[in-house]
Amino acid sequence: MTVSDEELARAKHISVEQVVLLRELRGATNETLEGLSEASVHYALRRLDYPDMPTARGMFRMEQERGDDGRVPVHALGSALEQLWASLAVARPAPVTAGVPTSRAEARGRAGPSPTAGMSLAAWEWLGPGNIGGRTRGIVIDPDDPERMWAASAGGGVWHTEDGGGEWQPVDDFLGNLACACIAMDPARPATLYVGTGEGFSNGDALRGNGLFATTDTVTWTPLPATRTPDFAFVSRIAVSSTGEVLLVATNSGVFRCADPGRATWTPVLTELPVADVKFDPADDDRAVAGSMRDGEAWFSRDGGRTWVAAGRGPWSGRVELAYAAADSDVVYASVEMTSGEIWRSTDGGETYEPRKTLDPQGRAAAYLAKQGWYDNVLWAGDPTDADLLVAGGVDLWRSTDGGDRLAEISTWWDRGSVHADQHAVVSHPGYDGVTNRTVFFGNDGGVFKATDLAQVGTEAQPPFVHGWTELVNNYGATQFYAGAASTTTGKIIGGAQDNGTLCFDPARGTEDWREIFGGDGGWCAADPGDEKVFYGEYVFLNIHRNTDGGTTDDTRGDRYISGQFLNPVTGEWDWKPVPFRIPDAKNQQALFIAPFVLDPNNPERLLAGGRSLWVTDDAKKRNTTTSGPSWRSIKPSAGSPISALAVAPGDSDVIWAGHTDGLVFRTTEGTAATPAWDRVGVTGARRLEPRRYCTSLTAHPDDTDIVYAAFGGYETGNLWVTRDGGVEWTDLAATLPAVPVRALVLHPRRPRLLYCGTEVGLFASEDEGATWSPTNEGPTNCSVDDLFWMDETLVCVTHGRGMFRIDLSGVP
């Protein structure tokens, strides 16, 4: 049944204009939108104010990576790890530092894990989420044992399963780079795998790579030194010839070719533009095709990738993804970004392309890529019996049985029984024959999913399309968190996750049952120390929400926001309350994409929120209505750059510290006054605060209001500082830390001389107030540690790519 724009607008109490915007933004049909619940409609409408979330995420992350000169050095992450490994080879650290396992002499990332004297990785307990997953860019399957699979996650490294996705494990928590963007298997030697690091799919994406890693036994992974160059900072795709002799690699510098068995010699063969995709003809190693990252170009090769010729095509634009038809390799399909996606087809092996109709079942243009085809764009034509069978992925998955003229949705992003949104990989079961075996696997922003029968999956008469889908996110712990908080009374933990909302862990339910309590992107979090029912989280740009049922209810309605946004019952649109019941910087999107807010440790009714200005409410738990709620006022004017870090001194609410994205740090001793006076610190003493880059965190000493620790981003030295006199004199504490962004720091609750520091390459500990540091090479992982917090004397480690971990440090002497 066809649903018109006018009919859908009336049914959902929204405007026709909103219907069109929703269809384009979500890459859906009116029929799918008709099935949305009221809460989901409200959530989708909310997204209209933030149309390009992937770019915003990438730019936010990149800001934290920039140095004082505004640049992110190529291969800085890999260089920092090499520096760390080199130092470990010279001097073995103590088995334990500040209660955390730290001993590891060998260069991590080059050998598998091994226990140390009396301690092992088991000291760290992984909390999950085991049921949420994370952005997955690639999947490979062992042809000799299809139960063995590997998946490449964007922030959590490579994962492996021995039972078809029933249980996943990371192949190495200390792989030299966990920002994995693609993975490939040697067809002739399935034990040989290659993984490419660095996501190049966003102009501002900060998940930079460190070249290629390889294994010849699926166990031990080693870097390919020849790829540790600027040309391999972003590796988007790896193609391996059928004999395994030749590799073609698509990067942001073009296509590189290697026919050297030692993978030591790489030749640039296509250097005109950044390249997103490259593939060998499955039937002929002399033939290959490639598609550009964002310039609407396509090429073909007839000599095994040595030389390339531009394909004949129409006026394309944006990213180009390609797929050979398994039934006839003369047929090559292209998914072209354009505005919202177009399917084109070649019948001469990729030399020329002609447009397909690309219509949905009702005859409208199928906007399958929505407006983010540069981010999620995947194509599959792997049926050996039918060259017209095609699967295209954008926000959802679409199937065509006529070569791309008509496409029908087979997944529904808003239903949890279906597939998670944002598709990146489609891989056939090794035994797929189109008749007795039609199993296909899918990688997306939620992890790995399976369709046991591609012909029958998602065949309901109307959405949601849930039939035939199986979720394989079983301890596939690649969730990218920004922050966390906990109730020590109940043991519940909440975390703000990239593209997976604000999530809640209940120890009574375990790692496999984290639940979403607010949708979209999550951010900073807080827990009321005196009320186990109250948690705070945020949506993007400082849109703070409040949960009052102990993290139980999943609710995206407007009455959760305490920053001033609400769903107007008259117009059916999102609106903002008048001043003082709103945060103007949230309304105007003048705050960071993920903006800082903190609960005053001395007053749980007092919440401070950083935008361009610093905002405070003294009635954070006031009843929320469409016309009133917590009232906000500015207590610090704009300093010209957004606030990026906040701290309130325990024991004295008047002492507040604020850090900014340009490295400026301010302090007031009049924080509870109507108009506090603020002083910029670190500019007058003999030992000044030197960094002029993103201030990532501020940590106030629990016993002395004059002591604060300031952490900074950038791949530079000097990213952790302390003042002991209220900000006049500063000391650099990062001399023995690697030159990577420092993101979090906490002091042991009972022994404040013990410090724990979260960085881009994992956790470090100090027993002498930060004068020296020992790397925690035995855990939890070397991915980014974005936040640290305490549950009594248990330290919770919040990572951006591996979920959360905890370690009991109550036994520290």
Side-chain angles (χ1 to χ4, degrees), residues 39 60 172 179 229 245 349 365 539 557 559 602 632 715 739 786:
F60 167 72
D172 191 344
T229 70
E245 296 178 1
Y539 188 48
R557 298 174 303 175
D559 58 4
N602 316 297
W632 297 88
Y715 286 94
D786 277 32

Side-chain angles (χ1 to χ4, degrees), residues 582-612:
R582 72 173 182 230
I583 302 176
D585 285 349
K587 177 180 184 294
N588 300 324
Q589 298 183 28
Q590 293 297 303
L592 291 170
F593 179 74
I594 302 297
F597 74 88
V598 296
L599 199 62
D600 186 333
N602 316 297
N603 180 2
E605 295 281 352
R606 181 175 165 85
L607 199 65
L608 296 94
R612 285 279 174 172

Side-chain angles (χ1 to χ4, degrees), residues 31 44 62 106 121 156 219-220 236 263 270 472 547 596 611 640 750:
E31 292 65 39
M62 188 174 186
E106 294 87 345
L121 188 61
V219 176
T220 303
S236 300
R263 305 306 178 201
L270 180 60
L472 298 181
N547 176 279
R750 180 167 43 85

Side-chain angles (χ1 to χ4, degrees), residues 489-746:
T489 303
T490 64
K492 290 183 178 180
I493 296 172
I494 67 166
Q498 177 178 303
D499 200 43
N500 281 292
T502 299
L503 306 172
C504 182
F505 165 75
D506 185 338
R509 296 196 301 261
T511 63
E512 277 283 299
D513 197 12
W514 285 63
R515 298 184 183 179
E516 183 180 283
I517 61 173
F518 204 89
D521 279 68
W524 286 52
C525 301
D528 189 319
D531 189 341
E532 65 189 44
K533 295 292 187 182
V534 178
F535 289 107
Y536 299 91
E538 69 174 338
Y539 188 48
V540 296
F541 301 111
L542 201 58
N543 215 348
I544 300 173
H545 49 80
R546 182 180 66 201
N547 176 279
T548 57
D549 62 9
T552 300
T553 305
D554 177 6
D555 190 353
T556 56
R557 298 174 303 175
D559 58 4
R560 285 281 186 92
Y561 285 123
I562 61 170
S563 49
Q565 194 171 34
F566 72 101
L567 190 67
N568 192 314
V570 177
T571 65
E573 298 183 4
W574 287 96
D575 205 344
W576 289 84
K577 302 173 192 177
V579 172
F581 305 116
R582 72 173 182 230
I583 302 176
D585 285 349
K587 177 180 184 294
N588 300 324
Q589 298 183 28
Q590 293 297 303
L592 291 170
F593 179 74
I594 302 297
F597 74 88
V598 296
L599 199 62
D600 186 333
N602 316 297
N603 180 2
E605 295 281 352
R606 181 175 165 85
L607 199 65
L608 296 94
R612 285 279 174 172
S613 302
L614 178 58
W615 302 89
V616 65
T617 179
D618 294 317
D619 52 6
K621 291 195 284 189
K622 183 180 178 181
R623 182 174 177 269
N624 211 25
T625 72
T626 58
T627 57
S628 65
S631 58
W632 297 88
R633 69 183 191 279
S634 172
I635 59 171
K636 180 182 181 296
S638 172
S641 64
I643 293 172
S644 54
L646 290 169
V648 181
D652 191 345
S653 297
D654 279 320
V655 179
I656 304 172
W657 302 79
H660 291 255
T661 57
D662 57 3
L664 303 187
V665 177
F666 294 83
R667 179 182 189 249
T668 183
T669 57
E670 305 169 347
T672 59
T675 55
W678 290 82
D679 296 315
R680 181 183 164 191
V681 301
V683 293
T684 59
R687 292 176 294 157
R688 302 184 181 187
L689 189 61
E690 296 176 2
R692 292 295 174 263
R693 51 191 179 271
Y694 197 111
C695 180
T696 53
S697 74
L698 293 164
T699 304
H701 195 283
D703 304 320
D704 190 334
T705 59
D706 283 335
I707 300 178
V708 77
Y709 297 84
F712 295 87
Y715 286 94
E716 304 209 8
T717 58
N719 276 337
L720 182 62
W721 296 72
V722 65
T723 179
R724 304 185 188 281
D725 58 8
V728 179
E729 303 285 344
W730 291 81
T731 302
D732 180 3
L733 299 180
T736 59
L737 288 172
V740 296
V742 174
R743 299 188 179 276
L745 182 131
V746 293

